[in-house]
Amino acid sequence: MAGKLLIIGFGPGSFEHITKRAREAIQESEIIIGYNTYVDLIAGLLSEQQVVRTGMTEEVSRAQEAVRQAKLGKKVAVISSGDAGVYGMAGLVYEVLMEQGWKREGGVEVEVIPGISAVHSSGSLLGAPIMHDSCTISLSDHLTPWELIAKRVEAAGMADFVIALYNPRSGRRTRQIVETQRILLKYRSPLTPVGIVKSAYRDRQHTVVTTLEDMLNHDIGMLTTIIIGNSATKLYEGLMITPRGYQRKYTLSAETQPLKPHQRLKSEAEPWALEQLEDEADFDESFEAYDEEGELIEEDESVDNAEPALLKSSPQAQSSNSLQLAMEALQLVSQGKDSPALAFDSKLIATQAIFEFAVSPGIANKKMSAAQLCALGEIVGDRGDIEYSPHHQLIVRVQTDDPNRITSELSALGLLLSPIGDVAQIKACDFCNLEKGDSIPYAEAIHNRIGNLEVPKELKIGFNGCGMACYGAVQQDIGIVYRKEKFDLFLGGKTVGRNAHAAQPVAEGIEPNELVDLVTRIVERYKKEGHPNERFHKFFKRVKEIEGYRHQEAVGFVIENALCGD
């Protein structure tokens, strides 16, 4: 029986702002999947549910795990703060479903439960800043090219939108908010009101009302939402108020209005409306009239008498995408002004493809030839980059529309290519410059069987060709040491952190013909039963036994939390 996916936006985080349906959905779910901080925020609503929690940048694994559990018949809640459909998990879950060929009819049921987004919760604390046309822009360029973000900021500034900025600054991303301010100051007064809200409706809520020129002098981080007013936004009693435009028709201080109710929607009361503007010459000159066949109607032909005629910016206007239409509109708005019209760049519609992979000379070989290095440098060029990793690999990132050509060329030179991310990797020694090579075929056999296999969290399988274990196989998630023509096995090493520890020795003297199958079974069980983002040593501790090998607690010492809070 198919399960159900409940994609829940629980609002800013305070219980009183979680909707009734969101509470019900959380409580009726069997599994809760979410980012660590979000799970903590709703902890008071949890009872017996299984909880799968992950860290930052693990959104894809959360979505994949949610879909997998739902297909097993579970009722799964995927939680987001704010609204799940605004920079939340709703779109990503649907993308994963689309990749798997999901159909609404017969597939797992999906319910998206709306919540109060950050723009609205922050706006309520600032007064009424988003009473008129507005937009939201995320300044995070981890998934979207900065050039495209800058274009959107430019367009929003020129079009006089009230702008809500999400993800304005992080520890690593500090220039984006500076560039955004610089762009907006081209179109707006330095005294434009700006509201800065941190942790709206949470324990550490902090609100500042300032100006566009002074905004960078205040604390801005990942928990901050910034609302920048438009040209009409006013400051009053420490609040931001954006007029809707009622003053054009109404006298707000009068009890009796000059226009009676039946007069308020008449054309003479709205000289700024589209129908009235069509009679003005400067508006007519901005467009040309085309018939249904796309042919230009000559000046002596009456547009009023040509029933099928349409006003368009070009005969192909109806097939233009929304970004093109928006850019054309902005160009019309900017005519006659000092502000330059924006040029439309179709290259910015989609994120440019960046091919990221790991490359090494082989499982045992640690030496690269000059020809291999030259070919790699030529492929990467000026726009790519190569990063050295501590795992006997080079990480390569290059913009390309043809990754198959790159992989074919490098593979032909004898290089070993691997994906980046949560995959199994054989991390072997150099076998004393290949002089102690008796166990190399077993390392290569393990790589051929499970190397690059997708797993819940990156998995390093250390392999040493003699009892010296000088490459530290016993420190890895899984360690294999060749000794006296047989193998010793170690499980559950913790390679990082102040409480790092070696793997637990679980077996000695494993026969060579048993090794590959044994390691494959261990890794395949981890792939099947591990939680998203769960490291192997935590998985071993949770399941207690793998292939008859029982987990034992590592003897360690108590570590006090660092003063910095890390």
Side-chain angles (χ1 to χ4, degrees):
M1 182 181 72
K4 183 175 182 179
L5 285 165
L6 295 155
I7 310 173
I8 303 169
F10 61 79
S14 55
F15 280 6
E16 58 266 32
H17 292 100
I18 301 177
T19 66
K20 179 175 180 291
R21 178 60 190 132
R23 290 170 182 257
E24 294 171 347
I26 290 170
Q27 290 163 353
E28 71 188 48
S29 298
E30 300 170 80
I31 301 174
I32 306 292
I33 297 179
Y35 170 52
N36 288 322
T37 300
Y38 300 161
V39 173
D40 293 339
L41 286 171
I42 64 161
L45 299 176
L46 303 180
S47 53
E48 300 299 321
Q49 299 97 327
Q50 177 186 346
V51 177
V52 178
R53 51 197 299 160
T54 65
M56 291 286 286
T57 75
E58 297 292 337
E59 296 87 354
V60 172
S61 65
R62 292 202 292 271
Q64 291 171 335
E65 179 67 7
V67 171
R68 185 177 75 85
Q69 293 288 354
K71 286 186 173 181
L72 293 175
K74 303 290 186 180
K75 186 173 284 190
V76 184
V78 182
I79 59 172
S80 295
S81 68
D83 185 275
V86 181
Y87 307 119
M89 289 295 294
L92 182 54
V93 172
Y94 273 121
E95 286 185 66
V96 172
L97 288 169
M98 289 162 58
E99 285 290 322
Q100 299 181 12
W102 170 80
K103 303 293 183 185
R104 296 183 72 173
E105 191 70 32
V108 297
E109 183 182 353
V110 181
E111 180 183 355
V112 179
I113 297 157
I116 302 173
S117 182
V119 62
H120 302 120
S121 56
S122 299
S124 69
L125 294 171
L126 295 170
I130 49 176
M131 279 296 296
H132 216 307
D133 298 335
S134 62
C135 65
T136 61
I137 301 176
S138 170
L139 297 190
S140 173
D141 52 7
H142 289 309
L143 300 176
T144 305
W146 172 250
E147 285 180 300
L148 178 53
I149 296 172
K151 285 280 188 181
R152 289 171 174 167
V153 172
E154 189 108 28
M158 184 185 297
D160 203 30
F161 281 109
V162 174
I163 304 170
L165 299 177
Y166 282 60
N167 308 314
R169 177 188 278 162
S170 68
R172 294 173 58 188
R173 294 184 303 99
T174 58
R175 288 183 52 204
Q176 289 81 351
I177 186 64
V178 177
E179 282 296 298
T180 297
Q181 181 200 46
R182 182 188 64 79
I183 293 169
L184 292 178
L185 282 172
K186 295 193 298 182
Y187 305 104
R188 304 206 180 168
S189 164
L191 300 180
T192 300
V194 171
I196 302 173
V197 180
K198 181 179 181 180
S199 300
Y201 295 102
R202 299 183 191 176
D203 291 340
R204 297 184 179 181
Q205 173 183 301
H206 183 66
T207 302
V208 172
V209 176
T210 181
T211 62
L212 184 57
E213 68 175 350
D214 191 51
M215 59 183 282
L216 298 185
N217 294 324
H218 299 276
D219 183 30
I220 297 173
M222 281 296 289
L223 299 178
T224 304
T225 303
I226 300 175
I227 298 182
I228 300 170
N230 66 13
S231 60
T233 304
K234 304 179 185 303
L235 289 180
Y236 182 79
E237 291 290 311
L239 300 173
M240 292 174 61
I241 315 296
T242 301
R244 175 74 190 280
Y246 287 98
Q247 72 278 8
R248 291 192 178 98
K249 285 189 182 181
Y250 301 84
T251 303
L252 301 185
S253 60
E255 293 185 7
T256 303
Q257 296 298 321
L259 294 176
K260 304 304 180 185
H262 69 279
Q263 298 175 316
R264 292 169 189 167
L265 298 181
K266 290 185 175 294
S267 58
E268 53 266 28
E270 300 172 343
W272 53 81
L274 180 62
E275 288 184 0
Q276 280 65 258
L277 290 176
E278 285 180 349
D279 295 332
E280 298 181 12
D282 61 337
F283 181 86
D284 287 340
E285 289 172 1
S286 300
F287 293 85
E288 293 177 315
Y290 294 83
D291 62 24
E292 288 184 324
E293 301 301 320
E295 295 294 326
L296 178 66
I297 298 176
E298 300 297 332
E299 290 183 5
D300 58 350
E301 297 181 13
S302 171
V303 174
D304 293 335
N305 295 331
E307 291 291 339
L310 300 173
L311 289 176
K312 311 174 188 176
S313 58
S314 73
Q316 292 79 26
Q318 288 181 317
S319 63
S320 300
N321 64 56
S322 57
L323 182 55
Q324 286 174 313
L325 294 175
M327 301 305 289
E328 289 175 7
L330 289 174
Q331 288 172 340
L332 290 173
V333 169
S334 65
Q335 285 179 359
K337 299 183 179 180
D338 294 334
S339 304
L342 289 177
F344 172 72
D345 186 354
S346 60
K347 295 178 182 177
L348 296 177
I349 295 176
T351 303
Q352 294 175 335
I354 298 178
F355 184 34
E356 183 180 43
F357 60 95
V359 60
S360 65
I363 295 297
N365 182 23
K366 298 295 182 282
K367 297 178 180 178
M368 298 181 72
S369 69
Q372 289 172 332
L373 289 171
C374 287
L376 194 57
E378 185 175 343
I379 286 172
V380 172
D382 295 333
R383 300 194 64 183
D385 62 68
I386 301 176
E387 176 185 344
Y388 172 76
S389 84
H391 305 303
H392 316 325
Q393 295 176 321
L394 297 176
I395 308 302
V396 178
R397 301 178 187 89
V398 59
Q399 292 185 4
T400 180
D401 294 324
D402 189 8
N404 290 333
R405 179 189 62 81
I406 293 176
T407 56
S408 298
E409 184 175 339
L410 294 178
S411 297
L413 290 170
L415 292 170
L416 180 65
L417 307 185
S418 304
I420 302 297
D422 295 331
V423 296
Q425 179 201 343
I426 313 303
K427 188 177 176 181
C429 67
D430 67 353
F431 301 89
C432 293
N433 287 324
L434 306 182
E435 293 180 5
K436 297 181 179 180
D438 293 345
S439 62
I440 291 177
Y442 299 97
E444 292 176 339
I446 292 173
H447 171 76
N448 293 335
R449 185 80 69 85
I450 57 174
N452 303 331
L453 181 71
E454 186 178 355
V455 289
K457 189 67 177 175
E458 60 179 356
L459 180 74
K460 305 301 181 187
I461 303 173
F463 195 108
N464 282 162
C466 71
M468 292 293 291
C470 56
Y471 263 66
V474 300
Q475 304 292 334
Q476 304 302 319
D477 299 296
I478 298 174
I480 301 167
V481 177
Y482 183 66
R483 186 172 61 89
K484 297 181 179 179
E485 299 183 352
K486 294 184 180 182
F487 292 95
D488 299 341
L489 181 65
F490 300 77
L491 296 179
K494 185 176 186 297
T495 59
V496 297
R498 294 188 298 151
N499 58 346
H501 57 75
Q504 174 186 328
V506 297
E508 292 183 337
I510 298 172
E511 295 293 337
N513 61 355
E514 298 175 359
L515 177 72
V516 177
D517 289 340
L518 174 62
V519 174
T520 299
R521 291 195 300 271
I522 291 172
V523 174
E524 287 182 340
R525 182 178 175 191
Y526 173 50
K527 172 181 172 62
K528 181 179 179 181
E529 299 180 17
H531 292 161
N533 206 36
E534 182 179 36
R535 292 195 178 276
F536 182 79
H537 71 89
K538 292 185 177 180
F539 169 73
F540 188 21
K541 180 178 180 179
R542 178 169 63 82
V543 301
K544 296 182 174 58
E545 183 177 308
I546 301 176
E547 291 295 314
Y549 306 129
R550 293 197 61 81
H551 177 269
Q552 296 179 3
E553 282 290 346
V555 178
F557 52 91
V558 177
I559 298 176
E560 295 293 334
N561 288 332
L563 292 176
C564 63
D566 287 347

